[in-house]
Amino acid sequence: MGGVSGRDFIAAVTAGLDIHCRLGLASTIGIVESGYVYTPLLGIFGGAAAAGRIMKLTSEEMLNAFGIVYAQCAGNYQAITDSAWTKRFQPGFASRAAVEAVQLAKKGIIGAKNIFEGKFSLYHVYLHDRYDPEVARKGLGREETQIGRAHV
């Protein structure tokens, strides 16, 4: 894209990490039990948050970007079990999908809206309703999230 300051880049990466970490911390099912690798399954939303911040998406455009990436969630654990090389591709697939989703949302493409808690949402379909939504929401946009000793 070009023309992005270091400050804006760091803010975008931080926003992406915050979203990814919040989604992971809210999950109460283990990744092996869920059958999904969290880097591509949840990181796709972090990628969209980071790219969306860089591209200065509106709130509505960001929601559409999340809906668009939700249509592309993946990252199965079978790749790890089989020692498949595709495990190494999964984060790249998620990153590519995140950037494409942000570009589509910026052009007005509409994505699903109830992606985290709807009838066929991420936590229902992929993580068997095993999550604590308050963990993901607490202080969102207002304060640091403490993860062990690290702060996001």
Side-chain angles (χ1 to χ4, degrees), residues 123-144:
Y123 284 113
H124 178 70
V125 172
Y126 290 91
L127 302 173
H128 315 293
D129 289 321
R130 306 236 326 255
Y131 71 104
D132 181 350
E134 291 310 310
V135 171
R137 290 186 193 122
K138 185 178 181 206
L140 183 62
R142 295 187 311 276
E143 61 186 52
E144 292 179 337

Side-chain angles (χ1 to χ4, degrees), residues 4-5 7-8 25 27 38 45 51-52 56-57 80 83-84 98 116 125-126 128 132 140 149:
V4 177
S5 71
R7 176 184 285 276
D8 287 343
L25 289 170
S27 177
Y38 286 0
F45 295 100
K56 301 182 182 344
L57 264 58
I80 293 172
S83 298
F116 298 115
V125 172
Y126 290 91
H128 315 293
D132 181 350
L140 183 62
R149 294 180 185 209

Side-chain angles (χ1 to χ4, degrees), residues 6-85:
R7 176 184 285 276
D8 287 343
F9 179 76
I10 290 169
V13 169
T14 301
L17 286 170
D18 185 45
I19 294 298
H20 185 171
C21 290
R22 285 174 181 278
L23 294 175
L25 289 170
S27 177
T28 59
I29 187 171
I31 62 171
V32 176
E33 184 182 353
S34 75
Y36 294 96
V37 177
Y38 286 0
T39 302
L41 181 67
L42 306 177
I44 198 168
F45 295 100
R53 177 141 182 160
I54 292 288
M55 291 187 66
K56 301 182 182 344
L57 264 58
T58 65
S59 296
E60 184 67 21
E61 289 170 337
M62 185 64 78
L63 181 57
N64 283 322
F66 278 3
I68 294 165
V69 295
Y70 180 50
Q72 302 176 72
C73 282
N76 63 72
Y77 207 81
Q78 193 62 45
I80 293 172
T81 302
D82 292 348
S83 298
W85 291 10

